[in-house]
Amino acid sequence: MRVALFLTCVNDTLYPDTGRAMVKLLTRLGVEVDFPMAQTCCGQAHYNTGYRHEAEPLARHFSDVFGEYEAIVTPSGSCGAMVRELYPRMGERARAEGRGGSLATAVASVVPKTYELTEFLVDVLDVTDVGAYYPHRVTYHPTCHGLRGLGLGDRPRRLLEAVRGLELAELPGAEECCGFGGTFALKNPDVSAAMGTDKVRNAESTGAEVLCAADNSCLMHIGGTMARLRTGMRPVHIAEILASTEEEPAS
Amino acid sequence: MSGTFVGMPAFPAAAHEAVRNPTLRGNLRHATHTIRAKRAKAVAELADWAELREAGRRIKDHTLRHLDRYLVQLEEAVTAAGGTVHWAADADEANRIVAGLVKATGETEVVKVKSMATQEIGLNEALLEEGIHAYETDLAELIVQLGDDRPSHILVPAIHRNRGEIREIFTREMREWGRPAPEGLTDTPAELAEAARLHLREKFLRAKVGISGANFMVAETGTLVVVESEGNGRMCLTLPETLISVVGIEKVVPTWRDLEVFLQTLPRSSTAERMNPYTSMWTGTTDAETADGPRVFHLVLLDNGRTDTLADDVGRQALRCIRCSACLNVCPVYERAGGHAYGSVYPGPIGAILSPQLRGTASEIDASLPYASSLCGACYEVCPVAIDIPEVLVHLRERVVQGGPVTREGNKAVLKPAKGHAAERAAMRAALWALTRPGALRTGQRLVSRTRRFHPRTLPGPGRAWSDSRDLPPVPAEPFRDWWRRTNGGRDTK
């Protein structure tokens, strides 16, 4: 099976390790991974800040770049939800505003075959034990858009539970938002920071060394708060845990 | 809209204070977490919750689509039952109507219950200007009124107060308003409730005029419905000779049978009870001397921005709201910022989408409300009438930054973009330019990577908000796409 890796602009620029882990993991599972070089950004920051018209060319660009692939896999619940949940809505709005159905047609070529990583593993490849080894105590934070936007459910947890050496610690208040929220972190810094602090304190209470999530944007906010609060905990993307093996363990 | 909230700063500034108030944070955290857990349990008891939610959404959407027809039907039914219907386009008109009705009775005191609509229009203040004193009789509203405070929650307006604060308010203020608090009042709930009961009983027995809101109005029979926990509402509805109900036009439902859905979803969503303790229904007037209930009944139907909201095909879903407050209790932003920061009688996620529609986005606070959310979606998940609050928030953000068509006071208008977003708009357009050109993005990424040693630890301008409380992530030596090209997707080297 040949799939396109939609890494997202944030991961491409700031978290290339997550991308390398995705390639390693998927290759190990027999998937042929391609990285379309023309990919840029799904447009979520534009859309959610109120710049819907500016997000439209990005949705079109995304559809042009990824339309030909069998499946599109992304390590971001948030960007995955943007494509799956909001692209169809953008297409419908464009049509309702009398700008025709071309955007709706374009996004229809990518929406049904875009998967968040854990969804792709569990639903498409039908695996929960990916042969990973990660000897650490880990707590899992289900990010909002993965949890409520995509409905990832217990897929990430099932994958983590099958990792050898991994001890999963229950995160109190797991389903509460970490306070990142894209531009929310800039527009309402006090509330965002208060939410982040509560998330980190809850994570600390589990005694875990690592907080794991399926979205590096949330991890950037949580990790930045952890560093500032000097907790000694680390944020790690789930792809990096699942890619880790006894032969090549992740740090 | 209301005189109560004039001069509110924008949401981030208002929240800045609340976040630093440990008592407020503690009160809110305790209250919202308790009710959140109870609600989840009460909802889980019903196997058909999803169907009830969908039925509630459909009934409300159907009613809103045919609102003109159902309101006329309601008016006919209320009139036939001996009531009088008044139509108020805005707050001033509603206040004028109510003040006139009270004055016509010759009374200078009224008892009030369960009316967010009258809070919305600032009725108490308007009545006071006419020499009429309005006494709130809902326990939480009483606490707010005695404390010269503002409501901060839809269901529990005094949620930001704890027992100690309430005891202090009762001891200090009750004597100014009527019967004083008992000597040596403690902060046990039973004693506080008894103090309120004695204080209010005096008001109930004396009042000749009652003012209420309503949770629902049934078009087919002209029946109004109030659901409550204390029974004070029922006293207000039955004891005074004249009853004036001020209700938003969106509260109508077509038939008696529709109540079946909402009387299940509302209490479970709001107080986490299977059924609320008191459900009072009243239809028109009673003329027999022996029967309970008002001899004179007036219904003031309030628009105040509602038909303008109805004209917006995305935003109109906010009018489905049945004021259960589940979205407030689950909202992480509300929990930290508190209700006052929203600058309206409607706080929390629903307030963030309702106020900028009812009042427009011209003021600083209203323009800031669509951003008072991290778009986490918890509010949509719990809403018993499935209002997609994140969708409306983003829609209103678009209105703020881009302008666009709106309806104000029944007229179509094209809104200009709000001030203060020029730099953001320029940044968004610049980002779009780069992001539709993969080569430009790559150049930018490389620049970020190659200059990484020189990056400051804190950010200037709007970025300071980030680096004030969080460390920035380190920038990698090369972006992923460069690694991919250099190693042929990892196939050439490790």
Side-chain angles (χ1 to χ4, degrees):
Chain A
M1 180 172 207
R2 185 163 163 267
V3 306
L5 173 58
F6 164 46
L7 191 57
T8 84
C9 54
V10 167
N11 291 322
D12 183 6
T13 311
L14 293 175
Y15 299 98
D17 287 350
T18 298
R20 287 198 284 268
M22 289 267 289
V23 175
K24 181 178 163 188
L25 170 66
L26 291 172
T27 307
R28 190 170 83 218
L29 296 169
V31 177
E32 193 190 330
V33 184
D34 196 3
F35 179 81
M37 279 297 207
Q39 67 178 281
T40 58
C41 167
C42 65
Q44 186 186 186
H46 285 88
Y47 186 89
N48 279 348
T49 314
Y51 298 86
R52 177 167 59 92
H53 287 274
E54 279 80 351
E56 283 183 10
L58 294 172
R60 235 176 244 283
H61 181 73
F62 183 97
S63 309
D64 290 345
V65 171
F66 288 101
E68 58 173 292
Y69 288 91
E70 223 179 313
I72 304 149
V73 188
T74 180
S76 165
S78 192
C79 303
M82 175 69 194
V83 174
R84 283 242 301 274
E85 203 186 4
L86 301 178
Y87 276 13
R89 195 175 283 176
M90 288 165 73
E92 286 315 306
R93 285 300 289 175
R95 197 198 304 271
E97 286 168 9
R99 289 183 285 123
S102 75
L103 185 64
T105 311
V107 300
S109 68
V110 289
V111 168
K113 53 192 189 191
T114 298
Y115 299 92
E116 184 277 333
L117 172 66
T118 65
E119 261 181 335
F120 181 75
L121 295 173
V122 175
D123 297 358
V124 181
L125 298 186
D126 195 25
V127 288
T128 46
D129 185 348
V130 295
Y133 171 74
Y134 193 77
H136 300 283
R137 186 171 165 86
V138 175
T139 192
Y140 176 71
H141 167 60
T143 59
C144 300
H145 292 175
L147 182 73
R148 287 179 279 264
L150 290 177
L152 295 183
D154 66 352
R155 292 178 186 84
R157 288 184 55 101
R158 280 160 59 200
L159 288 160
L160 289 173
E161 277 164 6
V163 173
R164 272 169 304 118
L166 187 148
E167 191 191 344
L168 196 59
E170 207 59 50
L171 178 65
E175 299 191 352
E176 281 172 42
C177 176
C178 70
F180 173 59
T183 47
F184 173 75
L186 297 174
K187 288 181 182 282
N188 282 286
D190 296 294
V191 178
S192 169
M195 289 161 69
T197 302
D198 288 349
K199 179 60 71 183
V200 169
R201 294 296 181 213
N202 279 336
E204 241 183 331
S205 76
T206 65
E209 309 149 58
V210 165
L211 179 134
C212 160
D215 226 309
N216 274 328
S217 303
C218 311
L219 286 171
M220 175 172 69
H221 167 73
I222 297 171
T225 309
M226 281 174 167
R228 186 61 62 94
L229 296 175
R230 302 184 195 288
T231 60
M233 290 183 78
R234 290 179 295 132
V236 177
H237 193 281
I238 192 168
E240 291 166 49
I241 293 178
L242 298 178
S244 172
T245 57
E246 231 154 328
E247 298 74 39
E248 286 181 88
S251 56
Chain B
M1 194 161 88
S2 157
T4 325
F5 294 100
V6 162
M8 277 294 297
F11 184 83
H16 179 82
E17 299 304 319
V19 164
R20 280 161 180 75
N21 180 341
T23 311
L24 176 68
R25 284 274 301 274
N27 294 350
L28 282 170
R29 184 179 167 77
H30 176 72
T32 56
H33 281 250
T34 307
I35 191 85
R36 199 183 290 184
K38 280 189 181 169
R39 187 212 73 97
K41 211 171 137 194
V43 164
E45 282 182 352
L46 292 183
D48 61 347
W49 183 259
E51 286 86 352
L52 281 169
R53 186 178 189 243
E54 178 59 15
R57 185 187 72 76
R58 279 166 186 260
I59 292 167
K60 281 284 183 178
D61 275 354
H62 168 84
T63 315
L64 290 170
R65 192 171 300 123
H66 305 285
L67 195 59
D68 50 347
R69 169 150 66 87
Y70 288 119
L71 286 172
V72 169
Q73 192 189 1
L74 175 78
E75 180 179 32
E76 286 166 2
V78 169
T79 309
T84 308
V85 174
H86 309 261
W87 299 81
D90 57 22
D92 286 346
E93 190 174 9
N95 288 334
R96 236 181 359 255
I97 292 168
V98 177
L101 292 170
V102 178
K103 277 208 247 176
T105 66
E107 294 296 315
T108 55
E109 287 185 357
V110 299
V111 287
K112 278 184 66 197
V113 80
K114 283 291 270 188
S115 180
M116 301 192 70
T118 62
Q119 284 275 7
E120 176 189 320
I121 61 177
L123 178 66
N124 289 7
E125 294 80 2
L127 288 178
L128 197 59
E129 277 178 25
E130 303 285 337
I132 300 159
H133 290 264
Y135 297 108
E136 296 293 345
T137 67
D138 176 272
L139 181 54
E141 292 282 4
L142 174 73
I143 295 164
V144 167
Q145 188 176 44
L146 293 178
D148 193 22
D149 200 353
R150 288 178 283 121
S152 68
H153 190 275
I154 285 176
L155 184 80
V156 199
I159 196 170
H160 56 291
R161 298 292 198 182
N162 61 31
R163 286 191 280 152
E165 292 173 296
I166 294 166
R167 188 200 75 88
E168 199 266 322
I169 290 168
F170 279 9
T171 307
R172 194 182 66 223
E173 296 292 336
M174 271 183 171
R175 72 179 72 252
E176 302 294 320
W177 291 78
R179 183 175 174 136
E183 288 292 319
L185 179 68
T186 74
D187 67 357
T188 61
E191 277 197 39
L192 293 174
E194 182 63 10
R197 210 170 72 89
L198 293 170
H199 180 81
L200 288 173
R201 188 57 54 109
E202 196 184 87
K203 299 273 185 287
F204 288 134
L205 294 174
R206 204 170 60 207
K208 297 276 188 287
V209 181
I211 295 179
S212 86
N215 293 91
F216 306 99
M217 305 184 285
V218 183
E220 65 176 353
T221 55
T223 303
L224 274 70
V225 184
V226 153
V227 297
E228 47 146 355
S229 298
E230 297 161 9
N232 292 342
R234 185 165 294 179
M235 304 276 263
C236 266
L237 296 166
T238 49
L239 291 175
E241 287 166 14
T242 300
L243 175 61
I244 304 166
S245 299
V246 183
V247 190
I249 51 173
E250 82 284 14
K251 295 286 180 89
V252 68
V253 294
T255 68
W256 194 261
R257 193 175 168 174
D258 298 319
L259 294 175
E260 181 246 348
V261 172
F262 299 114
L263 293 183
Q264 291 187 77
T265 52
L266 178 55
R268 282 179 200 261
S269 299
S270 61
T271 50
E273 291 168 303
R274 293 173 181 138
M275 192 177 181
N276 47 283
Y278 292 86
T279 301
S280 301
M281 301 178 171
W282 64 104
T283 311
T285 55
T286 48
D287 46 16
E289 282 297 313
T290 50
D292 285 338
R295 311 279 184 274
V296 181
F297 171 58
H298 294 277
L299 172 59
V300 181
L301 290 170
L302 178 70
D303 186 318
N304 207 33
R306 285 162 174 77
T307 46
D308 291 343
T309 305
L310 192 58
D312 187 293
D313 60 355
V314 176
R316 69 171 59 127
Q317 58 185 308
L319 297 176
R320 292 206 294 258
C321 177
I322 56 173
R323 311 282 189 261
C324 73
S325 73
C327 64
L328 277 66
N329 297 329
V330 81
C331 177
V333 176
Y334 174 87
E335 185 189 324
R336 273 85 185 180
H340 290 158
Y342 294 80
S344 154
V345 66
Y346 307 112
I350 186 64
I353 62 168
L354 201 53
S355 302
Q357 295 200 84
L358 295 181
R359 304 192 293 210
T361 49
S363 77
E364 207 188 342
I365 179 80
D366 288 316
S368 73
L369 287 175
Y371 299 94
S373 167
S374 65
L375 303 180
C376 82
C379 48
Y380 178 32
E381 190 176 55
V382 297
C383 178
V385 282
I387 302 170
D388 191 340
I389 294 175
E391 181 188 20
V392 183
L393 285 167
V394 170
H395 174 69
L396 294 174
R397 289 176 184 188
E398 187 180 335
R399 179 174 297 173
V400 170
V401 297
Q402 309 269 50
V406 289
T407 306
R408 296 309 298 164
E409 290 167 13
N411 300 312
K412 295 262 180 227
V414 178
L415 208 64
K416 284 186 185 146
K419 286 181 185 147
H421 292 270
E424 179 186 276
R425 197 174 304 117
M428 286 291 177
R429 298 214 167 124
L432 174 65
W433 186 88
L435 292 169
T436 43
R437 289 164 182 80
L441 172 65
R442 196 169 173 207
T443 306
Q445 285 175 329
R446 282 182 179 168
L447 192 66
V448 169
S449 280
R450 301 220 170 123
T451 59
R452 66 197 186 111
R453 289 169 196 281
F454 309 110
H455 288 189
R457 293 296 299 272
T458 54
L459 290 170
R464 180 177 299 162
W466 175 273
S467 53
D468 271 358
S469 58
R470 287 151 288 216
D471 283 357
L472 291 164
V475 174
E478 71 180 343
F480 177 84
R481 67 181 63 221
D482 283 2
W483 172 83
W484 179 272
R485 179 154 289 175
R486 185 168 59 76
T487 64
N488 185 24
R491 284 178 281 267
D492 292 353
T493 56
K494 284 290 167 192

